[in-house]
Amino acid sequence: MGLSRNPLSGSGWFYEHCQMWPGCALSIQYKSLLLEMQTPFQLLQIFETESCGRMLALDSRVQCTEADEFIYHEMLIHPAVFCHPAPRRVLVVGGGDGGAVRELLKHDGVGHIDLCEIDRNVVAASREFLPSLSCGLSDPRVSIHYDDGAVFVRQRRGFYDIIVSDASDPIGPGEALFRQSFLEDIQNALRPGGIFISQGESFIVHFEFFRSFAGLMKEVFPSVSYCWFPVPTYPGGTLGVFLGGFAHDFRIPRRSPPPGFDNQVRYYSAETHKASFVLPPFAADVLR
Amino acid sequence: MGLSRNPLSGSGWFYEHCQMWPGCALSIQYKSLLLEMQTPFQLLQIFETESCGRMLALDSRVQCTEADEFIYHEMLIHPAVFCHPAPRRVLVVGGGDGGAVRELLKHDGVGHIDLCEIDRNVVAASREFLPSLSCGLSDPRVSIHYDDGAVFVRQRRGFYDIIVSDASDPIGPGEALFRQSFLEDIQNALRPGGIFISQGESFIVHFEFFRSFAGLMKEVFPSVSYCWFPVPTYPGGTLGVFLGGFAHDFRIPRRSPPPGFDNQVRYYSAETHKASFVLPPFAADVLR
């Protein structure tokens, strides 16, 4: 293989080349482009890929693929939900693909979910092309709001047991969801004992973001932890979520999965819950 | 960004496009190519990359980068070594870059290391361009043999406390190190209570390999476990190692790191040791 020849050149390959992981790029081969549109907020694309099922990309960054989204969505939701004694009202900010909502609906106690997505085209595209993600969006427990999550959360006080920030990268429309003012509004919107979960990028390839956002979280929440897991189609192949709350040690679930729950998940278990919070020394120091 | 335009085209990018992860490819930007040679066994390249330090590639597949090799080499060596009560004689098959030897030398008890590398050019290139990996290769405890590992191990009987197969992918020169006959020769070359460690690819993106090699390992060793960890520049961003032995539960170290050991490692700790053996249900089933 020659050096100057790019074996991936030409169409048929999607390239994620993001300033969040400079000098590295993941390429994913596709069979067809099912949808491409410039929305008021971002470039939205849905691909039929060669080996990862269908894929949603926003501004040329992978949001999810059918092959590995189950890991992200299970680990975004279940560690936090099993750390809450009785979660009833939940807000999801972002998450227009529906994956987070699908996982929340596996919990009988959850009675009401507000989904606040800034871009209605993401919801529409997911309903049409990603039914395995969007399957829960028509559930009667779910209310969809097309609004800026940072504005929406400011209007709610002491209302939610769990708030999930299923944000894209802290670049573009997702940027507001990583600011201190947003975290303070989240804190006000939570009921006593409430839990906040935020998409937390990779503790390895986004180490500077990880360190800086951990600092912001610790200013707002007395208890902050980071739970990580593999997602092959995200930059660096791992992603993590920050959990923020008031007293609880998130490494220890407060409730056990009910009978039959293990038939509904493929990554989450009582064992993966605990192990996912273990960080190597160079990263654990950041959260101390 | 247009669909037909490849932002990574032209020289300056290395592309890993491997049949082990079809339809996906990692690209790494480089500043310069420090060495390129066709050896009797493979294409050997050393790059100065933009963001991952220096990188060794064999047959256009990333073997290690200075940025993240510490995770791979620490987790290849330390879980197994701390599971052995008194490791003295060690064989490393492959591993010509020296990273595995460097980690082994952090253990005072290890008195003799045989390194059997098929391609002397890998050792020479690493000595010249990757001193942070090859730094231990001149240690008096180390003997380097330029030979086929599968042949070398057949000539030793009941000799080693630990054998490490630091193989490249099971394609090309590394293929012989994933055959059942090799595992049987390994078993014969181990002393009672000895431990075998093999590079084990990713349990996610190489799931079929993971399942099939786990089956082979279980035919040869009564105790088999899989320990995994993130390596951003490997396909899918995670890698694992198989551990095989005779009775011990590898999740539980037999010895604790000695005082000061934590100053010599960045990923390994008593906590990461245990957590790294936890697999999600879909993969844990394979090892049961």
Side-chain angles (χ1 to χ4, degrees):
Chain A
M1 169 176 161
L3 259 182
S4 59
R5 189 168 65 85
N6 173 359
L8 314 180
S9 58
S11 60
W13 285 87
F14 168 91
Y15 302 87
E16 172 157 346
H17 180 209
C18 173
Q19 70 207 74
M20 294 277 300
W21 195 24
C24 299
L26 183 67
S27 306
I28 296 179
Q29 193 173 14
Y30 60 87
K31 295 179 201 168
S32 59
L33 177 64
L34 301 174
L35 176 71
E36 181 175 46
M37 68 184 296
Q38 183 66 50
T39 79
F41 302 98
Q42 53 210 341
L43 177 67
L44 190 166
Q45 295 168 310
I46 307 256
F47 296 90
E48 186 77 61
T49 73
E50 285 288 344
S51 64
C52 302
R54 290 183 175 178
M55 174 172 80
L56 166 68
L58 296 175
D59 286 343
S60 300
R61 295 199 288 274
V62 177
Q63 301 303 302
C64 53
T65 78
E66 286 179 324
D68 58 14
E69 60 82 17
F70 75 96
I71 306 178
Y72 171 69
H73 287 117
E74 289 183 19
M75 297 306 282
L76 178 70
I77 298 302
H78 303 309
V81 176
F82 284 121
C83 278
H84 195 288
R88 301 195 197 290
R89 290 193 292 223
V90 182
L91 168 64
V92 178
V93 177
D97 54 51
V101 166
R102 180 193 64 202
E103 296 305 316
L104 285 163
L105 290 170
K106 294 177 181 171
H107 295 268
D108 290 338
V110 170
H112 182 78
I113 302 168
D114 283 319
L115 174 74
C116 183
E117 164 63 57
I118 201 167
D119 191 341
R120 62 173 63 237
N121 301 284
V122 174
V123 174
S126 185
R127 282 193 199 271
E128 184 170 355
F129 295 105
L130 299 168
S132 65
L133 281 96
S134 58
C135 49
L137 292 178
S138 302
D139 190 281
R141 287 171 281 176
V142 180
S143 298
I144 305 183
H145 311 264
Y146 296 111
D147 203 347
D148 180 338
V151 174
F152 186 89
V153 78
R154 224 175 287 147
Q155 299 155 356
R156 298 289 189 285
R157 297 240 147 205
F159 193 75
Y160 294 108
D161 299 305
I162 291 175
I163 298 178
V164 183
S165 175
D166 185 10
S168 50
D169 291 333
I171 299 167
E175 193 198 340
L177 309 183
F178 295 94
R179 290 199 198 121
Q180 182 159 355
S181 57
F182 177 68
L183 301 186
E184 286 163 357
D185 292 336
I186 290 280
Q187 193 192 33
N188 289 328
L190 286 171
R191 297 168 83 180
I195 297 172
F196 172 56
I197 316 150
S198 177
Q199 194 271 93
E201 302 290 354
S202 159
F203 74 92
I204 307 174
V205 303
H206 308 130
F207 185 74
E208 284 312 311
F209 165 84
F210 167 77
R211 179 150 62 187
S212 121
F213 194 66
L216 277 188
M217 286 286 290
K218 286 198 286 187
E219 283 185 31
V220 177
F221 297 100
S223 306
V224 176
S225 290
Y226 183 84
C227 161
W228 70 276
F229 39 85
V231 185
T233 57
Y234 284 156
T238 60
L239 198 96
V241 295
F242 282 97
L243 284 84
F246 298 93
H248 188 64
D249 180 344
F250 295 116
R251 292 170 296 186
I252 300 151
R254 260 200 175 107
R255 294 177 298 118
S256 297
F261 190 81
D262 56 347
N263 294 325
Q264 299 184 67
V265 288
R266 293 168 61 199
Y267 195 91
Y268 183 84
S269 68
E271 291 73 33
T272 57
H273 181 126
K274 285 172 204 147
S276 299
F277 284 94
V278 176
L279 289 166
F282 77 89
D285 287 347
V286 169
L287 285 174
R288 267 192 204 106
Chain B
M1 170 179 160
L3 262 183
S4 58
R5 190 169 66 82
N6 173 358
L8 314 180
S9 58
S11 59
W13 284 88
F14 167 90
Y15 302 86
E16 172 158 345
H17 180 208
C18 173
Q19 70 208 75
M20 293 278 299
W21 195 24
C24 299
L26 183 67
S27 306
I28 296 179
Q29 192 173 16
Y30 60 87
K31 296 178 199 168
S32 58
L33 177 65
L34 301 173
L35 177 69
E36 182 176 44
M37 66 185 296
Q38 182 66 50
T39 79
F41 302 98
Q42 52 210 343
L43 176 68
L44 190 166
Q45 294 167 311
I46 306 256
F47 296 90
E48 186 78 63
T49 73
E50 284 289 342
S51 64
C52 302
R54 290 183 175 178
M55 174 171 80
L56 167 67
L58 296 176
D59 285 343
S60 300
R61 295 198 288 274
V62 177
Q63 300 303 303
C64 53
T65 78
E66 286 179 324
D68 58 14
E69 60 82 16
F70 74 96
I71 305 177
Y72 171 70
H73 286 117
E74 288 183 18
M75 297 307 281
L76 178 70
I77 299 302
H78 303 309
V81 176
F82 284 123
C83 278
H84 194 287
R88 301 196 197 290
R89 291 194 290 221
V90 182
L91 167 64
V92 177
V93 176
D97 55 51
V101 166
R102 180 193 66 202
E103 296 305 316
L104 285 163
L105 290 169
K106 293 176 181 171
H107 295 268
D108 289 339
V110 170
H112 181 78
I113 301 168
D114 283 317
L115 174 74
C116 182
E117 165 63 56
I118 200 167
D119 191 342
R120 63 173 63 236
N121 300 285
V122 174
V123 173
S126 185
R127 282 192 199 272
E128 183 169 357
F129 295 105
L130 299 168
S132 65
L133 280 97
S134 57
C135 50
L137 291 178
S138 302
D139 189 282
R141 287 171 282 175
V142 179
S143 298
I144 304 183
H145 310 264
Y146 297 111
D147 203 347
D148 180 337
V151 174
F152 187 88
V153 78
R154 223 174 289 149
Q155 299 154 357
R156 298 290 189 284
R157 296 239 146 205
F159 192 76
Y160 295 108
D161 299 306
I162 292 176
I163 298 177
V164 183
S165 174
D166 186 9
S168 50
D169 291 331
I171 298 168
E175 194 198 339
L177 308 183
F178 294 94
R179 290 196 200 124
Q180 182 159 354
S181 57
F182 178 68
L183 301 187
E184 286 163 355
D185 292 336
I186 291 280
Q187 192 193 34
N188 289 328
L190 286 171
R191 297 168 80 180
I195 297 173
F196 172 57
I197 315 150
S198 175
Q199 195 270 94
E201 303 290 352
S202 159
F203 74 92
I204 307 174
V205 304
H206 308 130
F207 186 73
E208 285 311 311
F209 166 84
F210 166 77
R211 180 153 58 188
S212 120
F213 194 65
L216 277 187
M217 287 286 289
K218 286 198 287 186
E219 283 185 31
V220 177
F221 297 101
S223 306
V224 175
S225 290
Y226 184 85
C227 160
W228 69 276
F229 39 83
V231 185
T233 57
Y234 285 156
T238 59
L239 200 95
V241 295
F242 281 96
L243 285 84
F246 298 93
H248 188 65
D249 180 344
F250 295 116
R251 293 171 296 185
I252 301 153
R254 261 199 173 107
R255 295 176 299 115
S256 297
F261 190 81
D262 56 346
N263 295 324
Q264 299 184 66
V265 287
R266 294 167 63 199
Y267 195 91
Y268 182 84
S269 69
E271 291 73 33
T272 58
H273 181 124
K274 285 173 204 150
S276 299
F277 285 94
V278 176
L279 289 166
F282 77 88
D285 286 346
V286 170
L287 286 173
R288 264 192 206 106

